[in-house]
Every structure is written in structure tokens, then in C-alpha cells.
Amino acid sequence: MAVDKFRIMEPIGEKEIRAAFVNCSKGEARRLTLPAGFPETPWSDLDFLGWRDPKAPDRGYIVTERDGEYVGIALRASTGARRSLLKSSICSVCVTPQSGSGITLLVAPLSGPAGRQGNSVGIYICADLACSLYVRGKKTTALARRFEESLTLEEQNARTVANLHGFLDKVLEGSRSAA
């Protein structure tokens, strides 16, 4: 896996965050609750900004830089059966193993007309959306540690971003399919 350079999330403001959302209405983006402690966000430790809504725990949000623009997606927790606390799962974005409750299925409406028709795509991801912090060892899971990998930290970060962008491609496909 080639890594051109190690990138981190640049600090962005509330206005840019709300304008970045591609799969919800402007009104929904205006009403979403920013992460707790937003002014103290550890930008230098983030590949993307991800958070669960403190006022609506079934909702989550991700904002990332992609091709020179900020892209945000709104997510909802799946209403399916809860996973066992005794089993572990692996995040599809950062490849961090977690106990069953640490990984959740979050579903994103597709952007554009397809999303307005109810079409969505899901991903198994760290329930707190703190993938960047797990990769960097700034946060630990109930399982206490990540797998030991032969990839460098930079390569792990690049994989995390590539996996997230792969999911974004699926969300954005809703606006492309209508063209």
C-alpha cells in the first residue's frame, strides 16, 4: 500500500461542517448536534471527524476531506438485533477488534434522489466513530489492544481513509445514478 504522505484532518468550523452533508437536508444539517467538547477536538489525531449525536444516540455523523472538499454523511444505528457482548467484531473502517457492543451497523441514506426514495447502505464501524483514535493508540477498546500489524502507522491511517472513502463512494452513488 503506497502512502504519499501522512494526512490529518484540518480544523474546520461549525459552518463548514453543516455545509458538508450530502445525504440529508440543509434543515437536518442545521439541527444536528455537534460533538461534545467540539472546541477541544484533537484535530491532529483525526483522519476524519466522527461522532454520535448526544441528543439522539441512534444518530451519527462523519465529516472528512476528500478531493479538496469536505464531505459529511448522516448515519443511523440499525434497528436490527443487538450483537452479543460476548463476541468480538472488527471495524470495517479502521480494522480495530472490539467486543460486540463496540461495533455497530450504521446505515446512511444514499445522496440525491436514491436516498430520498429510501435507499441506504450500511457499514459495521466502531460504535463511537473514534476510528482514528483507536488506530493511533489514543483510545483503547474493551479488548484492551489492537492486532499487532506489519503496516506502519501511516499505512494504517491510509487504509482507514481508503476504507471510509470506499463507503462514501457507495453513499454518493445515489446522486450519480440519477444523472
Side-chain angles (χ1 to χ4, degrees):
M1 176 182 304
V3 179
D4 294 331
K5 69 175 193 167
F6 184 60
R7 289 188 0 197
I8 57 172
M9 181 86 180
E10 293 294 324
I12 60 174
E14 179 178 345
K15 184 177 179 182
E16 291 85 6
I17 289 171
R18 293 182 190 286
F21 283 88
V22 297
N23 69 340
C24 66
S25 71
K26 289 180 182 182
E28 290 170 312
R30 258 192 322 272
R31 291 186 299 273
L32 67 82
T33 303
L34 290 177
F38 178 68
E40 293 82 36
T41 300
W43 296 104
S44 63
D45 290 327
L46 300 180
D47 300 306
F48 64 90
L49 178 63
W51 74 99
R52 295 296 286 267
D53 191 326
K55 293 184 180 176
D58 67 325
R59 294 182 186 195
Y61 308 100
I62 292 175
V63 177
T64 188
E65 187 275 325
R66 182 180 165 141
D67 300 327
E69 295 181 16
Y70 293 111
V71 177
I73 56 172
L75 303 147
R76 285 191 180 258
S78 169
T79 57
R82 291 281 181 221
R83 300 180 130 205
S84 169
L85 294 174
L86 302 176
K87 294 183 180 179
S88 62
S89 298
I90 295 178
C91 175
S92 298
V93 173
C94 66
V95 193
T96 297
Q98 299 230 25
S99 65
S101 63
I103 301 291
T104 192
L105 176 61
L106 292 179
V107 178
L110 297 181
S111 64
R116 289 189 290 277
Q117 293 173 1
N119 295 317
S120 61
V121 62
I123 190 167
Y124 284 99
I125 191 168
C126 294
D128 60 4
L129 300 172
C131 297
S132 300
L133 300 177
Y134 292 117
V135 170
R136 287 174 171 79
K138 304 282 181 175
K139 194 168 186 178
T140 58
T141 71
L143 298 177
R145 65 186 195 119
R146 292 176 39 84
F147 294 128
E148 195 167 315
E149 295 191 63
S150 61
L151 297 178
T152 66
L153 178 59
E154 289 80 10
E155 291 169 330
Q156 291 176 53
N157 290 115
R159 177 185 61 202
T160 297
V161 170
N163 289 343
L164 178 62
H165 286 192
F167 181 65
L168 284 175
D169 287 343
K170 293 176 185 175
V171 173
L172 293 169
E173 191 61 38
S175 58
R176 290 186 200 122
S177 62

